Amino acid sequence: MNDRQFVAVGLAVGLITLVSFVVVIGQGSVRHVEIFWPEKVEQTVAFEGSQNSVRLTGILGTAEDNNPTLIMRTGFAYILTVENRTDSLHRLYIDGFNVQTDLLEPGQSDIITIYPESEGTYNYYDKRQNLKLLGQLKSVHVVPSDGFTGFFKDLI
């Protein structure tokens, strides 16, 4: 075997080895920690209006409508900040998760954190002496990369 053949074979073996490393490492087989930050969805809403006609208004991360339909993703943290911008007491209660804010005095706020595991639609209420339906919270599943698997999903 002459020097040219030896160099050509060495380059071919080196290139194949490099590609193999990239494929194996790219699939996450050797990572000891995740390289992506865990995703979270953060939204802020506020109680507004008078005691007889209270509504929830979207402030941050959601439509600024009255009693907006709130959206969260399955498998990711959902962080909802609730403010009380009225002159009376309010408490946000989400049915199905059985979570609620503290009883909010005027000017106070509280944070609810939910980790939804499945899709669904849940009602949210103003809970004081009784429940007053305000709107809905939807949990949706988002499929990444149009269903690609393996090495090709990382390219998209």
Side-chain angles (χ1 to χ4, degrees):
M1 188 184 224
N2 66 25
D3 289 342
R4 284 187 167 199
Q5 289 174 334
F6 182 73
V7 170
V9 169
L11 284 174
V13 169
L15 186 59
I16 291 170
T17 303
L18 177 64
V19 169
S20 298
F21 278 135
V22 168
V23 169
V24 170
I25 292 170
Q27 292 300 308
S29 303
V30 297
R31 293 182 195 135
H32 65 285
V33 295
E34 286 196 37
I35 62 171
F36 300 106
W37 292 101
E39 185 175 335
K40 59 185 175 182
V41 177
E42 296 183 73
Q43 296 180 332
T44 302
V45 293
F47 284 106
E48 292 184 344
S50 66
Q51 188 161 349
N52 295 334
S53 65
V54 68
R55 64 189 180 277
L56 207 63
T57 303
I59 304 296
L60 178 68
T62 185
E64 296 180 8
D65 300 334
N66 292 333
N67 303 326
T69 299
L70 304 174
I71 307 291
M72 61 183 169
R73 289 181 60 184
T74 59
F76 295 96
Y78 177 70
I79 301 168
L80 180 63
T81 302
V82 182
E83 300 174 355
N84 184 0
R85 295 183 177 179
T86 69
D87 55 1
S88 59
L89 301 173
H90 294 282
R91 170 180 287 143
L92 184 72
Y93 170 73
I94 301 173
D95 193 21
F97 291 105
N98 295 322
V99 295
Q100 62 187 11
T101 62
D102 293 335
L103 188 60
L104 300 175
E105 295 183 17
Q108 285 187 323
S109 65
D110 195 9
I111 297 174
I112 296 175
T113 302
I114 302 172
Y115 299 94
E117 296 298 321
S118 60
E119 290 186 311
T121 301
Y122 309 93
N123 293 326
Y124 63 83
Y125 301 87
D126 181 13
K127 180 180 179 183
R128 289 175 288 173
Q129 291 85 9
N130 52 22
L131 294 177
K132 179 182 177 189
L133 179 63
L134 294 177
Q136 292 184 326
L137 171 67
K138 292 187 178 184
S139 175
V140 296
H141 179 71
V142 178
V143 179
S145 303
D146 297 330
F148 283 105
T149 58
F151 178 72
F152 292 109
K153 79 173 185 172
D154 295 331
L155 298 176
I156 297 177

